[in-house]
Each structure stands twice: as structure tokens, then as C-alpha cells.
Amino acid sequence: MRRKKLKDQKPSCLLGAHFSIARGLDKALFEAKAYGCNSLQIFTKNANAWKERIVTQKEIENFERAKLETGITEIASHTSYLINPATPEKKKHKMSCNALVQELIRSSCLGIPYVVLHPGSHMGAGDKEGIIRIAESINEIFAAIYAKTHEISTRLLLETTAGQGSSVGHTFEHLASIISKVEKKINLGVCLDTCHIFAAGYDIRTMEYYRKTMDDFDSIIGLDRLCLIHLNDSKKELGSRVDRHEQIGLGYIGLDAFKYIMNDDRLFDIPKIIETPKGTTDKDWDEVNLKLLRQMVRI
Ligand code: FE
Ligand code: FE
Ligand code: ZN
């Protein structure tokens, strides 16, 4: 259901950033609130290590309380970068599936509605093989979860990729094909990353190209599958297939595309998260980017 835009009030679209859980899972929610966000993304564990993280009952309670206090419920968890459900290596594949099961259960326990996954890299086996392997892995993962618990409320979101290396998911057809092979489609969604689709060759820099790209997404995947948007500019050119995020408006995508997205009624209720470089200088880039995006929203 679309939220009604009140006449005298600027519509508050769902906007957020990726925040650290270094000081605690609940602290990420308070940090998001301090930035004026009504949505956020976190890692629920160290994203660069296989080691799992068991969340305690206390952490779950604190997280619940932080949700109530901040009013933030649109939360995404980004999976570990090590996970590759498309890998032909048996051991790595098993570790990947297990990590995904853990991530989905952990996120479900924390009441996190979305878990974002880079679909995977085929490591030379080819896109077609990769797609089959990813879909089979997801079916395995959901079966394992349903065998352990009755159901999970968390949705697994396949993120569009830049097509770097042998990564699968750089065309909308790839994602549609994976989805078509998954049995429990109700637990599946898509996360659109602006930097990634641009690097993959989808232009969004003019209204005409933006419309074409979104119409393609709608006809190939379906906008009803789109659950999350990552707002990032790109350090690399259109079709470069290189994944390098840039501050909003300072990369090859430029400001206009973000204006189209921020004012696209079809995307109003979809949480939009920036994953732009935090920077090391005195400048608070999250604040700069979030302010810029908020100002783009027309009354
Ligand atoms: Fe990602
Ligand atoms: Fe992303
Ligand atoms: Zn990226």
C-alpha cells in the first residue's frame, strides 16, 4: 500500500545508511536515528570472517527496545562477503550455505526483515551453471531452515551485481532466472544497487534511460520483488563492470538519477540505503549524502 502524501508535509521516504555494530547491535539503531534515518543496514557479524556470531537473549531484547525507541523497523542485514553459493568447491559451498542459514535465522530472531546477498561467483563454470547452483543452494538453505524452525519472517534479497570477475547477477535476467528456480519464492526478494546496475551497463542518467531501466526491471523481475535499494554513485564508468562506490552526485552516475529515484512513486515505500565511503577526513559523508538525498524529495 502506498503511503499518502500529506499536503503540507514533506513525505518522509524510507532513507538510511549502513551503520556499524561495533558498539552493539542496538547502538546501530540509535546511530541511525541520530542521523535522522528511518531505515538502516548492518552486518550482524564480522563480514570478512567465517566465524559465526551467536546473539544472546539480552542482545535480542536490547535490539527490540532500540527498535521501539527509535521507531525504526525497516532494517537490512548484509551477508558476509565470503559467502558464495555459486562456488563449485564443495567445502566452500557447504560453508556458504551454512553461513546463510545462520544469517537468516539470526536476522529472523532479531526481527530483521531483509537479508542482502550477493548471488555469487561461478569461478569459471559460466553464468548458466552459476545460476543453477545459486538456485539449488537457496532451495537447500530454505529447506534446512524450515526443518529447524517453522518459518522465518526474514526475506533473502538477491542484490544486483556489477558483474565484476565471474559474479552472477549483473543482468535482470540472471536474477529472474534464479527466482524462477526457487521453490519458496515468498522468502525471496531483490535489492537494487544503483552503482552495481550502472557498472553492469544499465544507464539511469537521463529520465528516458531511467524509465527504460526501471521498466526492464519491472517486466523481467517485477517491481513487486524489489524490497530494498542501495543508493551509491559509481567511481567507474557505465558498463565498466567494476564495483567502486562514490559519494552521491560525485561519480559517473551524477545527481539526476538519484532525483528520479527519490521522486519515483513506485519506489516510495522501499527503503533506500547509502553505502557510500565513510571517508577518513573531518567531513561526515553520511550526513552530507543523506541531507542531499532528502532535499531532492519534491513536495
Ligand atoms: Fe552488497
Ligand atoms: Fe550494495
Ligand atoms: Zn558494491
PDB file of all heavy atoms in Angstrom, residues 41 78 81 116 118 159 193 196 230 275, ligand 1:
ATOM      1  N   GLN A  41      21.050  -0.369   7.396  1.00  0.00           N
ATOM      2  CA  GLN A  41      21.618  -1.680   7.089  1.00  0.00           C
ATOM      3  C   GLN A  41      22.760  -1.937   8.063  1.00  0.00           C
ATOM      4  O   GLN A  41      23.482  -1.011   8.447  1.00  0.00           O
ATOM      5  CB  GLN A  41      22.125  -1.701   5.657  1.00  0.00           C
ATOM      6  CG  GLN A  41      22.753  -3.029   5.229  1.00  0.00           C
ATOM      7  CD  GLN A  41      23.062  -3.058   3.747  1.00  0.00           C
ATOM      8  OE1 GLN A  41      22.207  -3.332   2.931  1.00  0.00           O
ATOM      9  NE2 GLN A  41      24.306  -2.751   3.399  1.00  0.00           N
ATOM     10  N   HIS A  78      23.341  -7.202   5.832  1.00  0.00           N
ATOM     11  CA  HIS A  78      24.118  -7.587   4.652  1.00  0.00           C
ATOM     12  C   HIS A  78      24.949  -8.814   5.002  1.00  0.00           C
ATOM     13  O   HIS A  78      25.626  -8.827   6.016  1.00  0.00           O
ATOM     14  CB  HIS A  78      25.016  -6.432   4.196  1.00  0.00           C
ATOM     15  CG  HIS A  78      25.527  -6.593   2.805  1.00  0.00           C
ATOM     16  ND1 HIS A  78      26.415  -7.593   2.466  1.00  0.00           N
ATOM     17  CD2 HIS A  78      25.270  -5.925   1.668  1.00  0.00           C
ATOM     18  CE1 HIS A  78      26.674  -7.503   1.176  1.00  0.00           C
ATOM     19  NE2 HIS A  78      25.983  -6.506   0.663  1.00  0.00           N
ATOM     20  N   TYR A  81      30.906 -11.193   3.056  1.00  0.00           N
ATOM     21  CA  TYR A  81      31.451 -11.167   1.693  1.00  0.00           C
ATOM     22  C   TYR A  81      32.077 -12.504   1.284  1.00  0.00           C
ATOM     23  O   TYR A  81      32.377 -12.727   0.125  1.00  0.00           O
ATOM     24  CB  TYR A  81      32.492 -10.054   1.570  1.00  0.00           C
ATOM     25  CG  TYR A  81      31.884  -8.685   1.722  1.00  0.00           C
ATOM     26  CD1 TYR A  81      32.319  -7.796   2.703  1.00  0.00           C
ATOM     27  CD2 TYR A  81      30.856  -8.280   0.877  1.00  0.00           C
ATOM     28  CE1 TYR A  81      31.740  -6.544   2.836  1.00  0.00           C
ATOM     29  CE2 TYR A  81      30.275  -7.034   1.006  1.00  0.00           C
ATOM     30  CZ  TYR A  81      30.717  -6.165   1.982  1.00  0.00           C
ATOM     31  OH  TYR A  81      30.139  -4.936   2.110  1.00  0.00           O
ATOM     32  N   VAL A 116      20.507  -9.245   2.766  1.00  0.00           N
ATOM     33  CA  VAL A 116      21.009  -8.978   1.414  1.00  0.00           C
ATOM     34  C   VAL A 116      22.155  -9.923   1.062  1.00  0.00           C
ATOM     35  O   VAL A 116      23.097 -10.084   1.838  1.00  0.00           O
ATOM     36  CB  VAL A 116      21.507  -7.517   1.294  1.00  0.00           C
ATOM     37  CG1 VAL A 116      22.009  -7.225  -0.106  1.00  0.00           C
ATOM     38  CG2 VAL A 116      20.400  -6.541   1.690  1.00  0.00           C
ATOM     39  N   HIS A 118      24.927 -11.138  -2.131  1.00  0.00           N
ATOM     40  CA  HIS A 118      25.492 -11.089  -3.481  1.00  0.00           C
ATOM     41  C   HIS A 118      25.327 -12.517  -3.995  1.00  0.00           C
ATOM     42  O   HIS A 118      25.861 -13.447  -3.375  1.00  0.00           O
ATOM     43  CB  HIS A 118      26.965 -10.708  -3.444  1.00  0.00           C
ATOM     44  CG  HIS A 118      27.195  -9.315  -2.949  1.00  0.00           C
ATOM     45  ND1 HIS A 118      28.444  -8.772  -2.828  1.00  0.00           N
ATOM     46  CD2 HIS A 118      26.334  -8.348  -2.545  1.00  0.00           C
ATOM     47  CE1 HIS A 118      28.338  -7.539  -2.381  1.00  0.00           C
ATOM     48  NE2 HIS A 118      27.072  -7.257  -2.192  1.00  0.00           N
ATOM     49  N   GLU A 159      21.051  -9.323  -4.474  1.00  0.00           N
ATOM     50  CA  GLU A 159      21.477  -7.985  -4.884  1.00  0.00           C
ATOM     51  C   GLU A 159      21.977  -8.001  -6.330  1.00  0.00           C
ATOM     52  O   GLU A 159      22.702  -8.915  -6.733  1.00  0.00           O
ATOM     53  CB  GLU A 159      22.581  -7.474  -3.949  1.00  0.00           C
ATOM     54  CG  GLU A 159      23.039  -6.067  -4.313  1.00  0.00           C
ATOM     55  CD  GLU A 159      23.944  -5.428  -3.269  1.00  0.00           C
ATOM     56  OE1 GLU A 159      24.207  -6.033  -2.219  1.00  0.00           O
ATOM     57  OE2 GLU A 159      24.397  -4.299  -3.527  1.00  0.00           O
ATOM     58  N   ASP A 193      21.097  -2.148  -6.482  1.00  0.00           N
ATOM     59  CA  ASP A 193      22.194  -1.248  -6.127  1.00  0.00           C
ATOM     60  C   ASP A 193      22.483  -0.375  -7.345  1.00  0.00           C
ATOM     61  O   ASP A 193      22.830  -0.886  -8.418  1.00  0.00           O
ATOM     62  CB  ASP A 193      23.421  -2.090  -5.735  1.00  0.00           C
ATOM     63  CG  ASP A 193      24.558  -1.243  -5.184  1.00  0.00           C
ATOM     64  OD1 ASP A 193      24.932  -0.252  -5.840  1.00  0.00           O
ATOM     65  OD2 ASP A 193      25.077  -1.585  -4.099  1.00  0.00           O
ATOM     66  N   HIS A 196      25.973  -0.722  -8.822  1.00  0.00           N
ATOM     67  CA  HIS A 196      26.167  -2.014  -9.478  1.00  0.00           C
ATOM     68  C   HIS A 196      25.468  -2.094 -10.843  1.00  0.00           C
ATOM     69  O   HIS A 196      26.067  -2.554 -11.808  1.00  0.00           O
ATOM     70  CB  HIS A 196      25.666  -3.165  -8.590  1.00  0.00           C
ATOM     71  CG  HIS A 196      26.405  -3.274  -7.291  1.00  0.00           C
ATOM     72  ND1 HIS A 196      26.086  -4.187  -6.326  1.00  0.00           N
ATOM     73  CD2 HIS A 196      27.465  -2.572  -6.802  1.00  0.00           C
ATOM     74  CE1 HIS A 196      26.903  -4.047  -5.301  1.00  0.00           C
ATOM     75  NE2 HIS A 196      27.746  -3.070  -5.556  1.00  0.00           N
ATOM     76  N   HIS A 230      19.960   0.177  -2.817  1.00  0.00           N
ATOM     77  CA  HIS A 230      21.231   0.734  -2.346  1.00  0.00           C
ATOM     78  C   HIS A 230      21.542   1.941  -3.217  1.00  0.00           C
ATOM     79  O   HIS A 230      21.657   1.798  -4.437  1.00  0.00           O
ATOM     80  CB  HIS A 230      22.360  -0.298  -2.478  1.00  0.00           C
ATOM     81  CG  HIS A 230      22.324  -1.365  -1.435  1.00  0.00           C
ATOM     82  ND1 HIS A 230      23.028  -2.535  -1.556  1.00  0.00           N
ATOM     83  CD2 HIS A 230      21.696  -1.414  -0.234  1.00  0.00           C
ATOM     84  CE1 HIS A 230      22.823  -3.275  -0.469  1.00  0.00           C
ATOM     85  NE2 HIS A 230      22.015  -2.614   0.333  1.00  0.00           N
ATOM     86  N   GLU A 275      25.531   3.314   0.787  1.00  0.00           N
ATOM     87  CA  GLU A 275      26.720   2.516   1.144  1.00  0.00           C
ATOM     88  C   GLU A 275      27.934   3.236   0.584  1.00  0.00           C
ATOM     89  O   GLU A 275      28.831   2.636   0.005  1.00  0.00           O
ATOM     90  CB  GLU A 275      26.652   1.127   0.515  1.00  0.00           C
ATOM     91  CG  GLU A 275      25.489   0.267   0.920  1.00  0.00           C
ATOM     92  CD  GLU A 275      25.444  -1.023   0.102  1.00  0.00           C
ATOM     93  OE1 GLU A 275      25.473  -0.945  -1.139  1.00  0.00           O
ATOM     94  OE2 GLU A 275      25.401  -2.095   0.706  1.00  0.00           O
TER      95      GLU A 275
HETATM   96 FE    FE B   1      26.166  -5.588  -1.315  1.00  0.00          FE
END
